[in-house]
Amino acid sequence: MLLFLGGAATGCGEPATTHHKPGTTHQEASGDVGTLLTGDDGTGHRLREVPSDGAPQVQLALRPDAEDGLNLHLTVRNFRFTPDSVGGAALLGSGHAHLEVDDRQIARLYGPWFHLPAAQVPQGARTLTVRLYADDHTAWAVAGKPIEATTPLTGAIATPGGHTHTGPGSPAPSAPAPAPTAPAADRTVTITVRDGKVTPAPGRTELKRGERVALRVTSDRADTLHVHGYDKELALPAGREATLLLTADRSGLFEVETHESGLVLTQLLVR
């Protein structure tokens, strides 16, 4: 089991942190650990190969959550999660993990527990995969292959409305379950990214603590949105709007940016 999106966020009132310095990218390989290969993990992250003896290892276990989705647990060896060092040099045995559903990245994981809501699991999805990465976003690898664990999705998955949907090998429901109604947002921020430019120009969105904000982002290229301090992430498909609903339950100034293009989208000022 593993808790969703951000197992190691900063404490209440602490300042947000930035993954990398302005002008650098998340794909900038750093550090001299292992061998940086020309191949990648299938998502554009280069492989950093280390000897099998003492290499990081990961196992994935999951169980249905009674109220919503799945609880996942990562068991790791020769590895520790280092959320405060993301964007730094690669250090052997340190980093974070990515979670994929049928080869589509869902979240970045900063701890061993994660809650995966049913809304993040498409009907008929077949597999969950977790893969280990260094702080510089290269993928740990042994013998030219990324270090990962994959688990098939079977059985019913509960939704917040008390309905279920099923994975392969489970009996189909007699009728489609209605989608749960998400709580309304107090504020909505609509952002467009095109040709490396952010519209409207990045500014500050002021919120009262406890308010819910909807970040509606349309990017002309596939990317990932990240809210620093909250460690919330959202996959941005190319050319399609995606929405992240966030409860502002921490005070401070929190930067919202894209991972691949390294663009600041807005700042959330929570009082």
Side-chain angles (χ1 to χ4, degrees):
M1 295 173 275
L2 98 105
L3 267 304
F4 193 28
L5 288 183
T10 57
C12 295
E14 292 183 6
T17 58
T18 300
H19 277 344
H20 56 78
K21 296 179 180 179
T24 64
T25 71
H26 284 271
Q27 293 304 305
E28 183 177 38
S30 57
D32 56 2
V33 175
T35 301
L36 195 61
L37 305 181
T38 56
D40 63 39
D41 64 347
T43 66
H45 298 264
R46 291 181 66 181
L47 300 179
R48 185 176 292 277
E49 184 170 273
V50 293
S52 59
D53 186 18
Q57 300 177 31
V58 60
Q59 293 180 324
L60 172 63
L62 60 90
R63 70 177 63 169
D65 185 273
E67 294 185 352
D68 176 26
L70 300 167
N71 292 314
L72 290 77
H73 182 228
L74 294 184
T75 301
V76 295
R77 295 184 62 187
N78 305 322
F79 186 83
R80 63 189 181 97
F81 292 94
T82 52
D84 292 337
S85 302
V86 174
L91 298 176
L92 184 61
S94 298
H96 54 277
H98 288 186
L99 172 66
E100 295 181 355
V101 176
D102 285 354
D103 299 323
R104 182 172 69 90
Q105 184 176 331
I106 296 298
R108 183 184 296 173
L109 311 181
Y110 296 104
W113 294 91
F114 190 84
H115 176 246
L116 178 62
Q120 296 284 323
V121 184
Q123 187 94 11
R126 307 187 70 87
T127 59
L128 290 179
T129 299
V130 290
R131 189 175 300 120
L132 298 183
Y133 292 81
D135 286 326
D136 70 345
H137 302 280
T138 53
W140 292 116
V142 169
K145 295 183 179 180
I147 298 172
E148 61 184 33
T150 299
T151 298
L153 278 170
T154 59
I157 301 173
T159 68
H163 303 283
T164 61
H165 68 253
T166 59
S170 303
S174 57
T181 302
D186 299 296
R187 296 283 304 277
T188 298
V189 180
T190 302
I191 299 169
T192 300
V193 180
R194 182 176 295 277
D195 296 329
K197 297 182 179 180
V198 180
T199 305
R204 288 187 179 180
T205 301
E206 296 192 15
L207 300 164
K208 294 180 181 178
R209 188 166 177 172
E211 284 189 322
R212 294 172 66 85
V213 59
L215 300 172
R216 300 175 58 183
V217 180
T218 303
S219 173
D220 62 349
R221 55 171 288 182
D223 213 320
T224 303
L225 174 148
H226 181 231
V227 184
H228 291 287
Y230 285 85
D231 283 328
K232 295 285 188 179
E233 289 195 349
L234 175 69
L236 300 176
R240 300 207 315 267
E241 183 180 83
T243 301
L244 175 66
L245 190 61
L246 173 72
T247 299
D249 55 6
R250 294 187 178 90
S251 299
L253 182 63
F254 305 97
E255 194 172 83
V256 181
E257 69 166 10
T258 57
H259 275 318
E260 304 305 325
S261 53
L263 297 173
V264 175
L265 304 183
T266 188
Q267 293 179 323
L268 303 180
L269 179 59
V270 185
R271 302 181 186 277

